[in-house]
Amino acid sequence: MVADEDKVFKALADASRRQLLDRLYAKGGLTLGELCEAHDMSRQAVTKHLVLLEAANLVVTVKRGREKLHYLNAVPINEIYMRWIGKFERQRVQALFNLKQALKENDHEQA
Amino acid sequence: MSKPDLVYTTYIRTTPAKLWDAIINPEFTRQYWGSENVSDWKPGSKWAHVADDEQRTVRIVGRVLESVPPKRLVLSWADPDDENDLSRVTFEIETVDDLVRLNVIHGDFKPDSDMANKVSGGWPRVLSSLKSLLETNRPLWEGSACGKKPAAKADTAMAVAA
């Protein structure tokens, strides 16, 4: 249950698991059933991915009655971000990210 | 549940007593949060999240709803400009193996509240900075460890985060 960085990177190194995190980012507090509905994966596959995400502390769960609700826990991702992006770089990195987003949107508009 | 709660967890190499102190001690909170948590921390008392500036700007206000040191602290949480927009923050501290787990649950938002959006980016930053401070004596926040004021922009981000 103790999260470490290797677990975080391994958990993130899979498109299906990143999709599950995207889904929980958009809406927290989903049950296993709700997570399965949105994905083209079997219940067993989703369960397996969730076990890895929980072990990496990227997903945390809360019990509400008989239901288990899943939440994205962004704390380990923030630790990775803070480790390599220094305080003075943050604004520049953000500026480049904004530029990339703006150019992408521009592309979509022209297409 | 009117709106889904926000739930955050971090595992910290520390003791429950030190972690409890890090949440309620203004000296500590200033270092990793950028503002001071101020209260006598008795159930029913007021608490406030106060900026470390000359104006002592109050950023968040509320009441201590439950206080069981060093295990569980429940606070009500509101912007001082809109105290009706109340929500609730629960800190749960538990020893797991040789680490201490901190759960932060922010919920019970009012149906039309924007508070969840305001704090959802901030909590991961506050909690990873808290972990860093307790484990390495260095917060992840800019400046405050060496006594400098955070840059104006970062300060605003923290106010939103808080």
Side-chain angles (χ1 to χ4, degrees):
Chain A
M1 197 51 228
V2 173
D4 60 40
E5 237 169 42
D6 286 351
K7 283 185 189 166
V8 175
F9 281 108
K10 277 179 192 158
L12 290 172
D14 180 281
S16 303
R17 287 197 286 276
R18 291 195 297 275
Q19 265 177 33
L20 286 169
L21 294 180
D22 285 338
R23 182 94 170 90
L24 292 174
Y25 175 71
K27 192 169 192 282
L30 298 179
T31 61
L32 176 61
E34 286 168 325
L35 279 167
C36 291
E37 273 169 30
H39 291 273
D40 198 14
M41 275 186 275
S42 69
R43 203 177 171 89
Q44 288 86 340
V46 172
T47 306
K48 217 173 93 187
H49 287 313
L50 285 175
V51 166
L52 280 166
L53 289 167
E54 277 189 60
N57 197 23
L58 290 166
V59 165
V60 293
T61 60
V62 170
K63 284 210 175 100
R64 283 280 159 91
R66 289 165 61 188
E67 284 181 330
K68 196 171 163 189
L69 308 178
H70 299 77
Y71 295 87
L72 168 67
N73 180 41
V75 179
I77 296 171
N78 196 69
E79 282 160 21
I80 291 169
Y81 168 80
M82 299 296 266
R83 176 166 164 179
W84 284 296
I85 300 180
K87 57 182 168 179
F88 299 114
E89 286 172 313
R90 232 163 280 158
Q91 282 190 354
R92 274 172 280 158
V93 172
Q94 185 66 43
L96 285 173
F97 176 80
N98 290 346
L99 174 64
K100 194 178 158 185
Q101 291 296 107
L103 290 172
K104 261 192 203 165
E105 277 162 29
N106 214 353
D107 265 3
H108 286 312
E109 274 165 29
Q110 284 175 1
Chain B
M1 210 166 53
S2 53
K3 258 195 182 183
D5 298 346
L6 302 166
V7 184
Y8 303 99
T9 299
T10 185
Y11 292 84
I12 306 177
R13 206 167 290 283
T14 186
T15 65
K18 278 187 192 162
L19 178 51
W20 178 268
D21 193 47
I23 295 167
I24 64 161
N25 183 331
E27 290 294 314
F28 252 111
T29 46
R30 189 198 310 142
Q31 289 181 62
Y32 70 86
W33 205 326
S35 301
E36 300 174 9
N37 287 345
V38 181
S39 173
D40 64 11
W41 305 109
K42 290 180 185 145
S45 292
K46 287 184 176 175
W47 80 280
H49 192 60
V50 183
D52 177 28
D53 58 18
E54 279 173 24
Q55 294 79 37
R56 304 289 296 163
T57 314
V58 176
R59 289 173 171 160
I60 299 291
V61 292
R63 294 262 179 195
V64 179
L65 303 176
E66 283 177 54
S67 178
V68 189
K71 286 183 181 161
R72 186 177 162 84
L73 179 68
V74 185
L75 306 173
S76 62
W77 177 287
D79 188 315
D81 293 332
D82 185 6
E83 292 196 38
N84 292 322
D85 184 13
L86 268 183
S87 52
R88 174 191 290 248
V89 174
T90 305
F91 297 87
E92 293 171 344
I93 297 171
E94 200 182 340
T95 304
V96 178
D97 300 328
D98 56 342
L99 296 173
V100 178
R101 180 172 63 204
L102 172 64
N103 286 335
V104 175
I105 300 155
H106 196 157
D108 290 353
F109 296 103
K110 299 277 184 218
D112 53 347
S113 173
D114 193 35
M115 187 56 85
N117 288 330
K118 286 186 192 166
V119 297
S120 62
W123 278 118
R125 291 203 293 273
V126 169
L127 297 179
S128 47
S129 186
L130 166 62
K131 177 181 161 77
S132 175
L133 180 66
L134 283 169
E135 291 185 348
T136 67
N137 281 324
R138 279 173 29 222
L140 291 171
W141 282 132
E142 36 270 77
S144 30
C146 46
K148 276 190 235 151
K149 285 259 165 67
K153 202 177 170 202
D155 209 32
T156 320
M158 272 185 275
V160 173

